[in-house]
Amino acid sequence: MIYLDNNATTQPTALVVEAMLPYLTECYFNASASTAAFTGADKPRLKAAAAMAKLLNAEEPDCFSFTSGATESNNWVFSSLARGRKDGRVLISTVEHASVDEPAAELARIGFEVIEVPVDVHGVVRLDAMRDALREDTALISIMAANNETGVLQPVAEIGRLIREVCPAALFHTDATQAVGKIPVDLQCEWQDVDLLSFSAHKFHGPKGVGGLYIRPGFELEPMILGGGQENGLRSGTTNTPALAGLASAASEAHDFNPQAMCALRDTFEALLQDELPEAVIHSRSVPRLPNTSYFSLPGMLGEQLIGALATSGIIVGTGAACSAGAIHSSKTLRSMGVAHDMAVGGLRVSLSRYSTIQELTEFIVQLTSATLTQRS
Ligand code: PMP
């Protein structure tokens, strides 16, 4: 199989699997037991926190609370706000993931004023609109670091500076699920104004079902899950030691990863694609993007049909368009960018991993060309 859908999930590395195994076999003990330091069950969490602090240059390992993944972390940010107050202004962008959109909609239902800040034609959050929407009493701003479809990098540092200028007390959250492990992140330098950051291990070659939330020292959130008091009382539930061992290993490997070669491979792919299929329109090509993501549309084609045809030839890619109740819906991201419907439904996303090769990408182009000929005939 040729797997080119790594923004959906990635393959755990051999080191990740190796790191997890002892905690599924001989060291299956409870990390919260008073004997944890003797059994070694306390190690995965300690290692995961230290590796995340190093990867994101956070102040200290204690800044991290571990969760089941970014969906939970994102929900936590919004539910914590709703526990402390019943109204206020919340800003998100028009291209957020559903795990931000839905909790924001829930806040709107209970009385918060939720504003969706638009993006420009390239999918970048408009700083002028952001400045207009910010008020002195804004409670929360949640803007993703990198878009899961286009790979567009949002101007997190600039947004942070704007927030500190207009409403210094507001909480600034970024859903960095697609950014962590793919681009350098520095929470004490460029991203020093970010207060809360969500991440997920399975997007950077770690296991599924584990991720976390960075909480800047000095900020307090309401607990996410009540119970036995794990995660410093913020997120109860028996510590998932195998998953945290995997996360620790994935974060360490990501720290040593250099995205340059991946970026060059993506650029070579896009050049080859345009040679073979000149009608392909590559979205957001002129703005900063993740090094692994290429999102393009083939006019007159249906992305859903193409991914089906490609899957039967053993090639897995993504599309933002979805078919439900007999109608084809284009991706919200492309709609927000003003991409016409017939173009947006022909969207395909190729997202590379550290293991992707030029041979795989060349084969993809061959199979895609043949699938477009079949669809046209
Ligand atoms: N945010 C973004 C931008 C994502 O791409 C995803 C995963 N598709 C999530 C949040 C949810 O992550 P998880 O699978 O860890 O719940």
Side-chain angles (χ1 to χ4, degrees), residues 7 68-71 74 97 99 144 146 148 175 177-178 200 202-203:
N7 285 5
S68 64
T71 297
N74 290 343
H97 188 261
S99 56
M144 68 189 348
N148 39 307
D175 171 5
T177 309
Q178 294 291 347
S200 184
H202 76 101
K203 304 289 185 183

Side-chain angles (χ1 to χ4, degrees), residues 290-327:
L290 289 172
N292 79 322
T293 307
S294 180
Y295 195 32
F296 58 91
S297 286
L298 292 164
M301 295 285 134
L302 289 177
E304 272 234 308
Q305 278 181 17
L306 289 175
I307 62 166
L310 289 163
T312 56
S313 343
I315 300 179
I316 306 298
V317 292
T319 174
C323 184
S324 70

